[in-house]
Amino acid sequence: MVVGLALASVTPAAHAAEARQESAGRLADGTEAFAVTLKAANGVSARIISYGATLQSLMAPGRDGTVADVVLGYDDVQTYEARPNYFGVTVGRFANRIAGGRFMLDGKTYQLAQNNNGNSLHGGVKGFDKRNWKIVSVKSGPVASVVLSWTSADGEEGYPGKLDTKVTYSLDERGNLTIAYDAMTDKPTVVNMTNHAIFNMAGEGSPMGAMGHRLTIPASAYTPVTPTLIPTGELRPVAGTVFDFRTGRRVANGLRDGRDQQIAIGRGYDHNFALDKGVTATPQLAARLEDPASGRMLEVLSTEPGVQVYTGNFLDGTVLGKQGHVYRMGDGIALEPQKFPDAPNQPAFVSARVDPGRPYRHVMIYRVSIAPERR
């Protein structure tokens, strides 16, 4: 697949970030997958696998110096293929849901795969998360990076236009992991790409789960959903509801409050928040997640107008993750910066349309650090 890059390593300069590539094993069809590890001087490291352009691990030190992997997932690439659960994957062409798997563009209706309660979810049956991406480059230096590419054919999963896509993971010396999504099309289409990492800042598989984490979201409104999790079109104020995370609070405080119909519909939180910042030229804060015990803190920054919060509601104990850990509801939290769900069918939402000559770009950052102790 990538000639001359397997097992490649570039010796880093002092205090620089290192990038190293190696084989990740064979997929079911015999194709080789690759893994690239990016490592910063402060102990933060990220491992990316070519299958699904997936963030397989994100290692972060805690207040006492203990380093833990803070993303849920699997130990080997074969399980990502055999038991897909969107752990850390790149999702596209369209992240989240499109009602009825159908949208209209320039007067023509496009029918997508209906792979989620009659809707299309995360790009369809074989979206970007189930493709073995090509590794284009691997670099060490002040910023270590890996660039992956995938060309989505015209008509793939029902979407119009050939789409040349690129995902760049970059880790700097301070431990900021930037993920940049770029795409160019040869005819009008819709694009909405993000990462689907599920986080537990105490360390994946920790017995107390992640619902005791403190979550902050700078959003005054969210998009309530129908029973099939499609936005109604309303922007509902969070004030006075269990969706108000503007000043930060424990995720558990509201997670099971079925008196709010939206919590009952989502089986917990599975909702898009309309960020007060809207679309921005540079990444700005979308969410902050803190584990009080370890002190590990994650800040998610993005150029996009929304962030989907998902509390692992469909993890039911049948999934065995890393080190044989049993993953259950509440064991992690996904924070997915994005355009709003069903945007192609909701004229009031920020458009997901992409045209020839006007490339798509989304830049997001996972910033890990130590939270200040709260008294």
Side-chain angles (χ1 to χ4, degrees), residues 66-88:
T66 301
V67 176
D69 186 353
V70 298
V71 296
L72 277 62
Y74 299 120
D75 290 320
D76 57 79
V77 70
Q78 292 81 11
T79 313
Y80 281 93
E81 183 181 23
R83 300 211 61 183
N85 269 287
Y86 299 113
F87 293 137

Side-chain angles (χ1 to χ4, degrees), residues 281-359:
T282 58
Q284 295 184 19
L285 185 68
R288 180 183 298 114
L289 189 65
E290 307 169 49
D291 172 40
S294 69
R296 294 186 193 91
M297 179 170 73
L298 170 75
E299 291 179 298
V300 181
L301 298 86
S302 170
T303 54
E304 293 292 61
V307 61
Q308 182 85 6
V309 175
Y310 168 62
T311 46
N313 311 334
F314 295 94
L315 298 177
D316 59 4
T318 61
V319 175
L320 291 181
K322 297 171 183 175
Q323 304 180 65
H325 292 149
V326 175
Y327 291 153
R328 305 155 302 172
M329 176 186 177
D331 279 348
I333 304 170
L335 302 167
E336 307 161 57
Q338 59 181 339
K339 297 287 195 305
F340 294 179
D342 199 35
N345 295 312
Q346 305 267 2
F349 291 172
V350 174
S351 176
R353 178 179 178 132
V354 177
D355 289 299
R358 302 186 66 181

Side-chain angles (χ1 to χ4, degrees), residues 359-370:
Y360 167 89
R361 184 167 173 81
H362 171 205
V363 181
M364 55 184 284
I365 300 172
Y366 291 146
R367 177 178 292 161
V368 291
S369 62
I370 304 301

Side-chain angles (χ1 to χ4, degrees), residues 54-56 58 70-72 86-91 179 181 194-200 298 308 310 332-337 364 366:
T54 298
L55 178 62
Q56 184 180 22
L58 180 62
V70 298
V71 296
L72 277 62
Y86 299 113
F87 293 137
V89 299
T90 293
V91 284
I179 310 175
Y181 302 96
T194 193
N195 187 277
H196 200 286
I198 301 180
F199 294 96
N200 184 340
L298 170 75
Q308 182 85 6
Y310 168 62
I333 304 170
L335 302 167
E336 307 161 57
M364 55 184 284
Y366 291 146

Side-chain angles (χ1 to χ4, degrees), residues 15-290:
H15 305 298
E18 176 187 3
R20 178 179 175 82
Q21 180 173 324
E22 60 189 345
S23 175
R26 299 279 175 180
L27 299 171
D29 65 359
T31 304
E32 188 172 16
F34 293 91
V36 175
T37 300
L38 309 177
K39 186 173 183 180
N42 66 349
V44 176
S45 66
R47 179 179 166 94
I48 296 96
I49 55 176
S50 59
Y51 183 76
T54 298
L55 178 62
Q56 184 180 22
S57 71
L58 180 62
M59 309 297 293
R63 189 175 287 120
D64 64 359
T66 301
V67 176
D69 186 353
V70 298
V71 296
L72 277 62
Y74 299 120
D75 290 320
D76 57 79
V77 70
Q78 292 81 11
T79 313
Y80 281 93
E81 183 181 23
R83 300 211 61 183
N85 269 287
Y86 299 113
F87 293 137
V89 299
T90 293
V91 284
R93 290 186 192 191
F94 195 93
N96 217 310
R97 295 172 176 86
I98 295 178
R102 186 182 303 109
F103 67 92
M104 183 176 288
L105 201 60
D106 295 335
K108 182 176 179 179
T109 298
Y110 293 91
Q111 181 63 58
L112 313 173
Q114 295 170 288
N115 61 325
N116 181 260
N117 295 319
N119 304 312
S120 180
L121 175 67
H122 293 328
V125 175
K126 194 172 182 180
F128 290 175
D129 60 299
K130 299 176 184 68
R131 306 289 180 174
N132 194 25
W133 292 57
K134 177 183 178 182
I135 294 183
V136 177
S137 69
V138 178
K139 296 179 181 178
S140 295
V143 177
S145 66
V146 55
V147 180
L148 306 99
S149 69
W150 173 256
T151 296
S152 177
D154 183 12
E156 183 176 283
E157 291 297 312
Y159 289 92
K162 186 184 82 163
L163 194 73
D164 293 315
T165 59
K166 183 173 68 174
V167 179
T168 304
Y169 287 87
S170 305
L171 184 68
D172 66 22
E173 297 167 345
R174 299 183 304 278
N176 296 316
L177 181 65
T178 298
I179 310 175
Y181 302 96
D182 293 281
M184 297 178 62
T185 184
D186 64 356
K187 67 172 66 169
T189 190
V190 295
V191 182
N192 184 31
M193 296 174 64
T194 193
N195 187 277
H196 200 286
I198 301 180
F199 294 96
N200 184 340
M201 301 311 292
E204 66 79 29
S206 64
M208 299 304 293
M211 296 304 98
H213 288 12
R214 181 182 180 87
L215 178 62
T216 304
I217 304 174
S220 301
Y222 77 103
T223 53
V225 294
T226 68
T228 63
L229 301 178
I230 294 296
T232 62
E234 177 188 0
L235 290 179
R236 184 175 295 177
V238 301
T241 77
V242 296
F243 290 87
D244 193 348
F245 290 96
R246 289 174 295 177
T247 60
R249 61 180 177 80
R250 292 174 71 245
V251 177
N253 298 346
L255 177 69
R256 304 191 188 281
D257 190 351
R259 293 173 298 178
D260 190 308
Q261 185 186 29
Q262 286 295 306
I263 293 292
I265 288 174
R267 304 186 187 183
Y269 294 105
D270 193 0
H271 295 79
N272 168 68
F273 287 74
L275 298 169
D276 292 342
K277 73 176 188 65
V279 177
T280 49
T282 58
Q284 295 184 19
L285 185 68
R288 180 183 298 114
L289 189 65
E290 307 169 49

